[in-house]
Amino acid sequence: MEWAGHSGHAFHGQVIVAATEISVLSEQFTKIKELELMPEKGLKEEEKDGARREKDHRSPSELEAERTSGAFQDSVLEEEVELVLAPSEESEKHILTLQTVHFTSEAVELQDMSLLSIQQQEGVQVMVQQPGPGLLWLEEGPRQSLQQYVAISIQQELYSLQEMEVLQFHALEENVMVASEDSKLAVSLAESAGLIKLQEGQEKNQLLAERRLAERTKEQLFFVETMSGDERSDEIVLTISNLNVEEQEDQPTAGQADAEKAKSTKNQRKTKGAKRTFHCDVCMFTASRMSSFNRHMKTHTNEKPHLCHLCLKTFRTVTLLRNHVNIHTGNRPYKCNDCNMAFVTSGELVRHRRYKHTHEKPFKCSMCKYASVEASKLKRHVRSHTGERPFQCCQCSYASRDTYKLKRHMRTHSGVHMRNLHAYSATELKCRYCSAVFHERYALMQHQKTHKNEKRFKCEHCSYACKQERHMTAHIRTHTGEKPFTCLSCNKCFRQKQLLNAHFRKYHDANFIPTVYKCSKCGKGFSRWSNVHRHSEKCGSGEAKSATSGKGRRTGKRKQTILKEAAKGWKEAANRDEATAEEVSTMKGEQFPGEMFPVACGETTARVKEEVDEGVTCEMLLNMMYK
DNA sequence: GTTGAACTCGCCCTCTGCTGGTCGGAT
DNA sequence: AATCCGACCAGCAGAGGGCGAGTTCAAC
């Protein structure tokens, strides 16, 4: 395994190899990197034409680079360095200790290069201590398990992903039967993932340790992944997963043709009998096919190689890019037959038709009659039953049942709310009740509340005080004698408009029937309720009865309250379908027949009938119900 | 490996109900 | 003169509809 950096930096790792003579120039790695820019293509080429042909297409400089690398590899054979990559327990993840071994040779052009050997220490994670690029040494240990994972953590402050951008592997493709030096494939670490396969049949120049490995195992398949560590650890995690599942019989040799390869692949699977299962090291994902596994692993990366040339937005797949471009071009091939709507995908059209036309709602609530077009809507709805509020406001105790409500709520902590209430106002905001001045509307409102129930308007001519300015205005006229309201019929003048209105009704309105309040004991009539009350205390009758225009026994205000309450109850009953609209409409205009109202309202109806009784028509009630 | 369908997530919108403040008319 | 009450408005929250776009999966 080789690591190569760019921009003159090199981080060169070699599988199970060490050397005292290293003559690898950074620019050679740059060329390797160029090859790696199209790893999939390279992979395809190799799979199609074989490793040797792929090599033959390389430029002379690339060949030179490879020869150099080969020389390096040859040389390192002379001085083997101990390395350990010893998987043990099945499906167990190991953390390797990285130790550094410095080169002593003066010939090493990469002066900062150091050598890393890896020793397994289960559960222990040791960081690289010294800065600068180095060699990563891996040696496969006793092959005991079906799946083995090795995670190597390297502090990001020492080696950024950019510095380790290029990672060159041996055969990377599933079931690729060639894993010779010549079939090296480049995979960018920026892609975060790649496969390395070590297997039987290494060529002469293959690394010694690889030979050891091959001797012990006929096939080793590693999945190598890099990712940024979390914010706290600030490190790069290199995960090497040994995907070798079981020893295979009748395995084809490296020199077989493509047709043979496909056949052999089938044979392998057939021979194996059991299906391979690929487990994602990052999440719980498993896949039975390598292609699915690879595709899934891309979801853990930010790799989006497909660029929209119109807005420079990038996408993971060609399909996504194509859909996106359709948005630019307005190309919406899926048109609704029932309206003029059109969509990019067929799924959107189906959903649209369910919402607008077919009203098919496959997702039904088990607790009520609610049904929805989409599962997410049902999930959201169920929270209204469970009371679950998983979205907590970070600034107050409010929690919402969905993300949008929380977002909308957050506006009360800023945006609309803040601008209206808490924004600084250059103009002075004066208190309407005193001389206080504020520059924030919220502060003004809070201050003005302190004036509530305060008789802040005080007469300068007497001790009179009141709460409202309009009352003070009327009072002042008692001192000034001003009477601005004149009766158009008799020219009599009044200080208040309402006094003029009362005068007009009493003396100039022929239809006006004055309210008479009668004492329930003696029947004496009064024009004001307060006079009846005062009289009844002397008369000993207790409660006086209102006889407003002879239509009721309660005061108008009390009757209104009763009717309002009853109307509310009836309306609720009507909403529960206990009274149809048709039934209700037939009541209109009729004298109050309580028995015609919904049975559920019987109690309320009876009370109203008792307390309000005659003079109340259904129309009056219905107007209250449906106004 | 590609592709399309199904699935999923997230955003924005409307409708509705509740609450508090203000104002003017009624009592 | 004092108080009550309804209309109106603004702000907020609950519930649900509609759709854009990303992800997963299986067939080819």
Side-chain angles (χ1 to χ4, degrees):
Chain A
M1 180 167 60
E2 292 183 359
W3 300 70
H6 62 106
S7 303
H9 298 287
F11 180 46
H12 186 184
Q14 189 77 40
V15 174
I16 321 175
V17 161
T20 54
E21 296 287 332
I22 301 177
S23 59
V24 183
L25 299 175
S26 60
E27 69 177 84
Q28 293 163 349
F29 291 107
T30 303
K31 296 190 188 313
I32 294 172
K33 180 193 170 186
E34 289 170 358
L35 174 65
E36 291 173 355
L37 290 177
M38 293 185 292
E40 290 181 2
K41 184 181 176 183
L43 193 66
K44 226 171 197 173
E45 290 279 334
E46 180 178 280
E47 191 174 5
K48 184 178 177 181
D49 300 326
R52 179 59 61 186
R53 184 177 297 181
E54 167 68 20
K55 182 182 175 180
D56 290 343
H57 288 167
R58 295 175 191 176
S59 66
S61 60
E62 288 171 332
L63 291 171
E64 174 60 25
E66 190 153 329
R67 278 195 297 273
T68 309
S69 179
F72 163 68
Q73 291 167 6
D74 284 340
S75 64
V76 298
L77 291 176
E78 299 171 7
E79 188 170 330
E80 180 184 343
V81 174
E82 177 85 11
L83 12 126
V84 180
L85 190 158
S88 56
E89 299 297 328
E90 182 175 354
S91 300
E92 188 175 350
K93 191 167 182 173
H94 302 279
I95 305 296
L96 299 186
T97 300
L98 302 184
Q99 294 179 341
T100 60
V101 180
H102 293 278
F103 289 105
T104 55
S105 171
E106 295 291 331
V108 177
E109 293 186 31
L110 305 170
Q111 294 178 358
D112 292 333
M113 180 177 287
S114 57
L115 194 62
L116 309 177
S117 69
I118 301 170
Q119 290 184 333
Q120 181 183 357
Q121 286 185 357
E122 279 190 43
V124 179
Q125 184 172 319
V126 180
M127 302 303 171
V128 179
Q129 293 300 315
Q130 85 288 351
L135 290 182
L136 178 63
W137 292 74
L138 298 176
E139 183 176 39
E140 189 267 350
R143 186 166 162 273
Q144 300 169 344
S145 62
L146 298 181
Q147 281 195 317
Q148 298 150 352
Y149 302 88
V150 177
I152 304 169
S153 297
I154 304 170
Q155 282 182 307
Q156 198 161 12
E157 61 188 16
L158 299 181
Y159 304 107
S160 70
L161 277 176
Q162 286 71 29
E163 288 171 329
M164 300 195 302
E165 184 177 357
V166 179
L167 175 63
Q168 184 167 346
F169 291 119
H170 295 274
L172 298 174
E173 177 66 295
E174 179 187 20
N175 296 320
V176 171
M177 308 319 297
V178 178
S180 69
E181 174 191 336
D182 294 339
S183 66
K184 287 174 185 171
L185 258 182
V187 173
S188 169
L189 271 182
E191 294 174 6
S192 297
L195 286 172
I196 176 169
K197 179 180 176 181
L198 304 175
Q199 69 171 50
E200 193 176 42
Q202 311 288 350
E203 291 190 3
K204 184 179 179 180
N205 290 338
Q206 197 64 357
L207 305 173
L208 174 61
E210 279 184 316
R211 286 206 298 269
R212 286 188 192 163
L213 172 64
E215 288 168 6
R216 284 195 292 266
T217 66
K218 291 186 177 178
E219 177 178 330
Q220 284 283 313
L221 193 63
F222 291 95
F223 180 79
V224 182
E225 180 190 16
T226 64
M227 71 188 80
S228 296
D230 60 33
E231 293 176 357
R232 285 164 300 184
S233 61
D234 191 28
E235 63 189 30
I236 301 165
V237 177
L238 171 63
T239 301
I240 303 176
S241 306
N242 184 347
L243 297 177
N244 188 33
V245 290
E246 61 187 62
E247 194 163 316
Q248 298 173 25
E249 301 296 332
D250 303 325
Q251 185 173 324
T253 60
Q256 288 179 301
D258 295 335
E260 294 268 331
K261 270 194 278 181
K263 187 179 174 182
S264 66
T265 302
K266 280 188 179 178
N267 287 342
Q268 283 174 26
R269 286 176 180 162
K270 198 173 179 179
T271 307
K272 278 190 280 188
K275 263 191 167 182
R276 286 182 178 179
T277 302
F278 301 96
H279 297 267
C280 175
D281 196 43
V282 181
C283 68
M284 300 298 290
F285 177 83
T286 60
S288 58
R289 299 180 57 177
M290 178 62 73
S291 60
S292 299
F293 182 73
N294 286 339
R295 184 174 55 236
H296 167 79
M297 291 312 293
K298 287 185 177 181
T299 66
H300 291 303
T301 76
N302 291 324
E303 180 196 7
K304 294 180 178 179
H306 305 284
L307 174 71
C308 172
H309 63 286
L310 296 174
C311 68
L312 303 183
K313 194 175 178 181
T314 56
F315 296 87
R316 188 171 295 156
T317 68
V318 177
T319 303
L320 289 176
L321 173 61
R322 187 173 56 239
N323 288 342
H324 170 77
V325 170
N326 279 340
I327 295 172
H328 284 303
T329 61
N331 181 26
R332 291 169 174 262
Y334 297 92
K335 294 178 171 52
C336 179
N337 292 328
D338 295 322
C339 66
N340 58 0
M341 292 285 283
F343 302 89
V344 173
T345 67
S346 61
E348 291 176 50
L349 174 60
V350 169
R351 186 176 58 179
H352 159 79
R353 289 188 53 75
R354 284 178 175 173
Y355 270 123
K356 296 294 189 181
H357 306 301
T358 68
H359 303 293
E360 180 190 358
K361 295 180 177 179
F363 302 96
K364 302 183 190 313
C365 178
S366 60
M367 289 175 276
C368 69
K369 293 180 179 178
Y370 175 79
S372 65
V373 171
E374 299 175 81
S376 62
K377 299 299 184 294
L378 176 60
K379 186 178 178 183
R380 186 177 62 181
H381 163 80
V382 166
R383 291 196 188 112
S384 67
H385 291 299
T386 64
E388 184 189 7
R389 292 171 179 267
F391 304 97
Q392 175 71 50
C393 175
C394 60
Q395 297 187 40
C396 72
S397 60
Y398 174 77
S400 74
R401 294 190 172 117
D402 63 70
T403 53
Y404 175 70
K405 288 186 187 61
L406 176 59
K407 189 175 181 180
R408 188 176 60 179
H409 163 80
M410 292 308 290
R411 289 202 288 257
T412 66
H413 295 298
S414 61
V416 175
H417 175 79
M418 292 300 286
R419 278 195 298 274
N420 282 348
L421 294 182
H422 301 291
Y424 177 82
S425 172
T427 58
E428 293 182 341
L429 304 173
K430 296 178 181 176
C431 174
R432 68 174 70 184
Y433 309 121
C434 69
S435 59
V437 173
F438 301 87
H439 290 279
E440 182 186 298
R441 187 166 163 245
Y442 181 78
L444 172 65
M445 290 172 64
Q446 293 299 310
H447 166 77
Q448 288 184 156
K449 283 180 180 177
T450 66
H451 289 298
K452 202 169 185 179
N453 296 324
E454 174 187 279
K455 289 186 175 181
R456 52 194 173 274
F457 298 100
K458 295 177 173 56
C459 178
E460 58 184 9
H461 303 292
C462 67
S463 60
Y464 174 80
C466 61
K467 295 177 184 175
Q468 295 186 34
E469 186 177 16
R470 56 179 173 150
H471 295 155
M472 178 56 69
T473 302
H475 170 78
I476 291 294
R477 292 186 186 125
T478 64
H479 294 292
T480 63
E482 180 188 10
K483 294 183 177 180
F485 302 98
T486 304
C487 176
L488 297 176
S489 299
C490 64
N491 290 328
K492 189 175 174 62
C493 296
F494 300 88
R495 278 191 292 271
Q496 296 182 35
K497 184 183 178 182
Q498 60 192 38
L499 294 177
L500 169 63
N501 291 337
H503 160 81
F504 184 84
R505 284 197 301 265
K506 186 175 181 179
Y507 296 102
H508 304 293
D509 184 357
N511 297 323
F512 176 69
I513 302 173
T515 300
V516 178
Y517 297 91
K518 289 184 178 180
C519 174
S520 61
K521 185 72 175 178
C522 64
K524 187 178 180 179
F526 297 90
S527 62
R528 294 188 180 187
W529 160 246
S530 57
N531 293 338
V532 176
H533 185 72
R534 190 172 55 201
H535 161 79
S536 65
E537 288 177 348
K538 293 180 180 177
C539 187
S541 62
E543 185 79 12
K545 292 181 180 177
S546 145
T548 307
S549 303
K551 287 185 177 179
R553 298 189 298 270
R554 293 268 181 182
T555 65
K557 190 167 146 186
R558 171 63 178 155
K559 187 166 77 177
Q560 286 261 329
T561 303
I562 295 170
L563 293 176
K564 185 179 177 183
E565 182 182 341
K568 187 179 179 182
W570 287 321
K571 186 177 180 181
E572 288 172 359
N575 288 340
R576 292 195 299 266
D577 292 328
E578 291 167 5
T580 66
E582 189 177 358
E583 289 170 342
V584 169
S585 65
T586 60
M587 303 172 195
K588 194 168 185 177
E590 295 182 19
Q591 190 69 15
F592 174 58
E595 59 277 7
M596 287 190 64
F597 281 81
V599 176
C601 304
E603 187 179 341
T604 307
T605 302
R607 187 165 62 85
V608 172
K609 195 174 182 181
E610 179 188 341
E611 297 187 355
V612 180
D613 206 23
E614 72 274 10
V616 180
T617 67
C618 287
E619 185 171 5
M620 292 169 61
L621 294 170
L622 293 169
N623 284 338
M624 297 186 73
M625 287 171 67
Y626 297 105
K627 69 179 180 180

